[in-house]
Amino acid sequence: MAQVEIINVTKRFGKTTALDNVNLDIKDNEFFVLFGPAGAGKTTLLNTIAGIYLPEEGMVKFDGEVMNQVDASHRNVAMVFENYALYPNQTVYENIASPLRSPLYKQDNETIDREVRRVASLLRIDGLLDRLPHQISNGQKQRVAIGRAIIRTPRVLLMDEPLAHLDAKLRNYMRSELKEMQSMFESTVIYVTHDYLEAISLGDRIAIIKEGKIVQVGTRDEIYYTPRNEFVAALVGEPEINIIDGTLVKENGTSYIKLEMKEELVPLPDNHPLTKTLCEYDTNEFHVGFRPQSIDYTFEYKEGYLKGSVYNFESLGNKAVLTVKVGDTFLRTLAPYDLRVQLDIDIYIDAPITKGLFFDSQTTELIGSYDDAKVNGNGTQE
Amino acid sequence: MKRRELLINIVKHVLLIIYALFALFPLFWMLLISFKSDAQMFNTTFIFTPTLENYDAVLLRTDYFRYFKDSLIVSTLAVIVSLLAGVPAAYALANYEFKKKEDLAFTILSFRFAPEILVVLPLFMIYQRIGLYDTYTGLIWVYQLITMPLIIWVLRGYFEDIPIEIEHAAQIDGYTWWQVFLKKLLPLIRPGLVSASLLAFIFAWNNFTFPLQLSGTNIETVTVASLKYLASDTVHYGQMAVAAAFSSLPAVIFALLIQKHLVRGLSFGAVKG
Amino acid sequence: MAKLTLKNVYKKYDHKKKRRKKDKENDYFAVNNLSLDCEDGEFIGILGPSGCGKTTTLRMIAGLEDITAGDIFIGDRRINDLHPKDRNIGLAFENYALYPPLTVYENIAFNLRAKGLSNAEVDERVKRIAPLLKVEELLNMRPAALSGGQKQRVNIARAIVRNPDILLLDEPLSHLDGKMRQQLRMEIKRLHNEIESTTIYVTHDQLEAMSLADRIAIMDLGVLQQFGTPSEIYDNPANEFVASFIGEPPMNILTTTIIHHENDFYFTFEDSELRIVVPQRYYDIVKDGMKVRVGVRPTDIYVGGPDSKGTPVRVAVFEDLCTERRIGIRVGDELVMLITEDETKYEQGDLIRLEVNGEKTHLFDLETGNRIQ
């Protein structure tokens, strides 16, 4: 239950800058996700919010109050660590009870017992209360860690990649369970992950971080349909977006785009603000992104479709990824899981320009897209 | 296949039994001769008339218990001082970064390498000057050269094995640094604590050079006192055996008492398996 | 290249410390009556959780473990008693085992030289194999300078350069991460397409087996559960183990009691009000009060329309994943998941009715776990 502000925070370790002028405004009771690849600075930011690290520059504020001088134990935050950090010589019961036995938040035994059992039942670990951490599975340890964090109803609940060390099946399942529990968390939650499914499923808003800098902040639709740049576009979405070169060509008053793997020119829609923007751009070289979902294919010749060959076919569970080789370009598209296809056979694909995302070829930033139905404003940048 | 395995097993066991006999025999012999009278010492082996006269001579008619007490005081207090200073030192070495940290760590370890004989003469002169000769304080202090490096090195490893997140978690739970240390960390280093203490105690107890040179008549440890049993006319082997057997008792008792704390890595299982 | 046949193969490990008579009965079968028929040129996946016997099977084929009972044939040759080097197999195990002081070229050439081939022949073969695994540029480097993925390629190159009858791969990708793994998986698939060697690939990752293998042998606790093409295994799992092991997200499998109500049969569940209509094709075999396990994949459950039969239940979880949506329903202690591309957005607590795809619903026996046809 606190609004969290991170203002111009920079954190250095020796010569490395882990966080570079980070600014975030997290609303009260929001489920806020911090998403980025390994080493981006997510855990460092979480530790800074918790008070374990002090930033070299900048401030952390809870409800408008500067917290820099307040140490971790007094900030009333709770954290679920990536490696659980359970006290190894104490039982599950004692681990969960721990915050309520500390001098700052001490409660009487009756209250402690009642709360521990309430939390254990919520997380479905009531049968494990007498066990020691080394006697339970990873999935169970993770629930105990969550239990220890939520028992006090902290102002801010910090979760550091809680699902990282679970196998794929368990991760999917626990993610759904976490989603179910979301309404029960009465705190502002800041959740860190490198898995984009977790990010878009759980987050009210998502901040994408790379090498200590915030790249984009937005809702899942904003991040997915209007990614700020190619990095974000590639990060969110499985299989990864296809990005190819495109050159703008003007002929007889109409604008066309020449895509790297296609000989013919593709006409751009008239009367659309994006066409105008592209024409007036300082260069005519662009990068065009096509999500695999928007690429169509067929095994028989079809007018307007490009000819290529099947380079690879790979199962992704309930669907499959088809990699198609067109000239020197490789494009990924989706196919039904039970498609049986020979490698290297002919295949015809279509990448409709209206579904393309146009990026600046130098800065890699998003210029725009024709698919207005999905676009609801630009992603809010902070 | 099976016969071959059986044969290998038998050979293995036989070799192990032979080695066990070889290793344990001196201890057995020592106990044996402690019950033999001087008269029967050289003309009997395993069959003799046991007698308690050696025990009587050593324990009741000499100052043996005084020497025992001196050894106990010096060794125990030396270990305690080492723990008080060494545990925080080990924590610091494990968790903080500072200039020349590894140089400092190595220097501490190097105290164990230095031959005691080298330092004992200069120390003798210094101790005489500053009045620490033949005092408990003097011996306890110099014993730190033996006990502290061991404790710091073993415990540093244990502290390093504890993930830093456990401390963070405890801080966030609301514990002060001291409580984190006492309530959460110390239980985790307990196996290291007891094993290093035991070893340090044994080394301190067995030390000969330092008490020999740096203490005189006020303080005599059992090691130094055992010289007394080397009489100029005959060596009373039986009495020496009693002295030796008794000297080994504290270490054995200590080891038996702390056995249950020598549990495999208590940190095991705290983090993702 | 040749056929590989396993006939009633058993592997038993003896208990080392047979102190009490009781211990002797604890000897267990790591591989229990395994029979497989692999065609020439087939890519066979042996899949299962750790401890299922897959690596033991591979090692028996390779000759690194004794065969307790049964026979293994390569082509028409019975190879039980042959030394590994006489079996003409290529082996690539998960921990690289490249010789550190030798260059990549020499590592690959090692076996060939041991066989006594001339320098010219060795050179020809190595240079022919190298591009297939994209290691031509690495030939002069030493193992220490290679990345995990590169080491694995060299490992596999070394295995196939001898033109073995059978190629054995033991979890070659388990130490690699995400992208590298996908990349190398693609390479292995293309490689097999190129050289068409009979390949046995051991893994615990079902996605890997499903995308690479022509046929998959799933094992659990030493026993073969099913041997079939990926489609067969996915669409017609032989038992509950196979059904829940294959597919991500996994199949929803629940204990259900069937009831008869107004001309229809319904699946009912303990601690839940959920009721789902039983697909028509099972009407001949189900009875009122029958208890079975019912399994259906998340992609084969739908939100029913307004004229749907069955009781409505509350949405416990709604996940919007942009390209698809996942809905979770609490049934007792379980969370039943369904995946849809439908764009309707639900809130926690909304009431919906569920329907299942009749063709893709499976019934399993409550005790044995076997599929009921």
Side-chain angles (χ1 to χ4, degrees), chain C residues 79-179:
Chain C
I79 60 165
N80 289 36
D81 303 312
L82 289 182
H83 193 278
K85 67 175 169 58
D86 298 322
R87 296 190 185 200
N88 198 16
I89 47 164
L91 209 52
F93 274 6
E94 64 178 302
N95 9 352
Y96 319 126
L98 297 177
Y99 307 116
L102 302 180
T103 59
V104 164
Y105 181 102
E106 283 305 318
N107 263 289
I108 299 175
F110 196 78
N111 278 323
L112 301 176
R113 292 202 198 280
K115 262 190 177 171
L117 294 180
S118 70
N119 276 338
E121 269 198 80
V122 170
D123 195 63
E124 191 262 322
R125 290 227 206 162
V126 173
K127 295 246 167 78
R128 185 160 40 94
I129 288 293
L132 289 180
L133 282 137
K134 303 213 172 62
V135 295
E136 317 95 288
E137 276 137 36
L138 309 175
L139 286 175
N140 288 325
M141 293 170 65
R142 292 218 151 69
L146 304 177
S147 73
Q150 289 168 329
K151 278 190 206 156
Q152 247 342 347
R153 287 173 213 252
V154 174
N155 202 15
I156 297 175
R158 189 174 56 162
I160 61 174
V161 78
R162 307 166 52 205
N163 271 345
D165 284 332
I166 313 268
L167 178 61
L168 304 176
L169 299 170
D170 187 358
E171 310 221 45
L173 309 183
S174 62
H175 292 312
L176 304 175
D177 66 30
K179 286 240 160 352

Side-chain angles (χ1 to χ4, degrees), chain A residues 124 168-169 172-173 175-177 179-183 196-198 200-202 220-221 224-225 234 236 238 240 291 293 310-319 323 334 337-344 374, chain C residues 134 179 182 185-187 189-190 193-194 206-207 210-211 213-214 230-231 234-235 244-250 299 316-324 326 330 332-335 337 339 341 343 345 348 360:
Chain A
R124 269 184 293 273
K169 274 195 187 8
N172 260 306
Y173 185 78
R175 190 192 66 242
S176 302
E177 285 218 321
K179 183 91 192 160
E180 193 184 9
M181 278 191 259
Q182 258 185 326
S183 47
Y196 92 98
L197 279 180
E198 274 166 52
I200 57 176
S201 161
L202 300 170
R220 72 175 65 87
D221 284 340
Y224 187 81
Y225 294 110
V236 185
E238 173 83 33
E240 198 178 299
R291 293 219 182 265
Q293 288 79 3
V310 174
Y311 189 75
N312 193 41
F313 176 83
E314 198 167 302
S315 180
L316 271 195
N318 56 327
K319 49 186 191 280
T323 307
L334 289 178
Y337 73 88
D338 53 359
L339 182 75
R340 282 281 119 185
V341 65
Q342 294 262 35
L343 293 188
D344 299 328
K374 299 287 190 197
Chain C
K134 303 213 172 62
K179 286 240 160 352
Q182 276 180 2
R185 211 148 71 193
M186 200 154 58
E187 306 288 340
K189 194 163 181 122
R190 294 196 62 80
N193 200 47
E194 217 35 70
Q206 50 101 17
L207 275 185
M210 294 287 279
S211 65
D214 293 321
S231 298
Y234 190 85
D235 291 323
S244 59
F245 195 81
I246 300 284
E248 197 178 291
T299 37
V317 179
F318 177 75
E319 287 186 89
D320 181 356
L321 299 174
C322 292
T323 46
E324 67 185 24
R326 299 193 183 186
R330 273 268 163 225
D333 253 346
E334 309 273 339
L335 196 57
M337 297 300 298
I339 298 178
E341 290 190 11
E343 309 235 333
K345 298 198 187 189
Q348 210 176 34
K360 308 227 171 156

Side-chain angles (χ1 to χ4, degrees), chain B residues 46-102:
Chain B
F46 293 112
I47 306 170
F48 60 96
T49 351
T51 164
L52 284 177
E53 66 182 48
N54 295 317
Y55 283 89
D56 186 55
V58 172
L59 299 180
L60 299 179
R61 289 199 245 119
T62 62
D63 273 334
Y64 187 79
F65 282 114
R66 202 200 97 195
Y67 310 137
F68 196 85
K69 182 194 79 173
D70 280 344
S71 268
L72 202 60
I73 292 177
V74 174
S75 305
T76 315
L77 290 178
V79 171
I80 291 176
V81 168
S82 287
L83 286 176
L84 287 174
V87 172
Y91 179 84
L93 283 173
N95 289 312
Y96 297 114
E97 288 300 319
F98 46 91
K99 279 211 183 104
K100 308 263 183 198
K101 175 169 99 162
E102 294 304 327

Side-chain angles (χ1 to χ4, degrees), chain C residues 270-309:
Chain C
E270 206 176 307
D271 291 331
S272 171
E273 296 184 347
L274 176 65
R275 284 192 183 189
I276 304 180
V277 179
V278 175
Q280 278 291 333
R281 67 190 182 116
Y282 285 123
Y283 272 37
D284 294 332
I285 44 176
V286 298
K287 296 193 249 302
D288 191 49
M290 188 175 174
K291 260 194 165 172
V292 280
R293 300 272 290 165
V294 61
V296 63
R297 295 202 184 277
T299 37
D300 299 320
I301 313 182
Y302 317 108
V303 178
D307 47 335
S308 219
K309 297 185 197 169

Side-chain angles (χ1 to χ4, degrees), chain A residues 123-149:
Chain A
L123 293 160
R124 269 184 293 273
I125 45 174
D126 8 19
L128 305 174
L129 290 173
D130 293 322
R131 305 238 191 125
L132 290 172
H134 70 87
Q135 294 171 315
I136 59 180
S137 71
N138 279 353
Q140 291 164 331
K141 279 184 203 161
Q142 186 237 44
R143 286 177 219 234
V144 176
I146 294 177
R148 182 177 63 182

Side-chain angles (χ1 to χ4, degrees), chain C residues 218-368:
Chain C
I218 303 190
M219 295 177 71
D220 187 32
L221 298 174
V223 179
L224 179 68
Q225 304 291 313
Q226 189 169 2
F227 186 35
T229 64
S231 298
E232 281 165 11
I233 288 186
Y234 190 85
D235 291 323
N236 294 314
N239 58 33
E240 213 179 297
F241 174 79
V242 175
S244 59
F245 195 81
I246 300 284
E248 197 178 291
M251 188 188 280
N252 298 294
I253 306 183
L254 299 156
T255 306
T256 178
T257 310
I258 299 187
I259 62 158
H260 189 83
H261 179 76
E262 287 179 15
N263 296 328
D264 286 313
F265 284 102
Y266 291 87
F267 292 118
T268 66
F269 306 91
E270 206 176 307
D271 291 331
S272 171
E273 296 184 347
L274 176 65
R275 284 192 183 189
I276 304 180
V277 179
V278 175
Q280 278 291 333
R281 67 190 182 116
Y282 285 123
Y283 272 37
D284 294 332
I285 44 176
V286 298
K287 296 193 249 302
D288 191 49
M290 188 175 174
K291 260 194 165 172
V292 280
R293 300 272 290 165
V294 61
V296 63
R297 295 202 184 277
T299 37
D300 299 320
I301 313 182
Y302 317 108
V303 178
D307 47 335
S308 219
K309 297 185 197 169
T311 39
V313 277
R314 295 196 178 282
V315 169
V317 179
F318 177 75
E319 287 186 89
D320 181 356
L321 299 174
C322 292
T323 46
E324 67 185 24
R325 272 140 286 277
R326 299 193 183 186
I327 303 172
I329 311 283
R330 273 268 163 225
V331 179
D333 253 346
E334 309 273 339
L335 196 57
V336 169
M337 297 300 298
L338 67 88
I339 298 178
T340 175
E341 290 190 11
D342 186 63
E343 309 235 333
T344 322
K345 298 198 187 189
Y346 295 94
E347 300 262 326
Q348 210 176 34
D350 283 351
L351 288 172
I352 57 172
R353 286 195 173 82
L354 296 183
E355 270 181 20
V356 291
N357 181 334
E359 299 304 306
K360 308 227 171 156
T361 308
H362 308 275
L363 295 183
F364 300 101
D365 185 279
L366 196 60
E367 263 131 43
T368 64

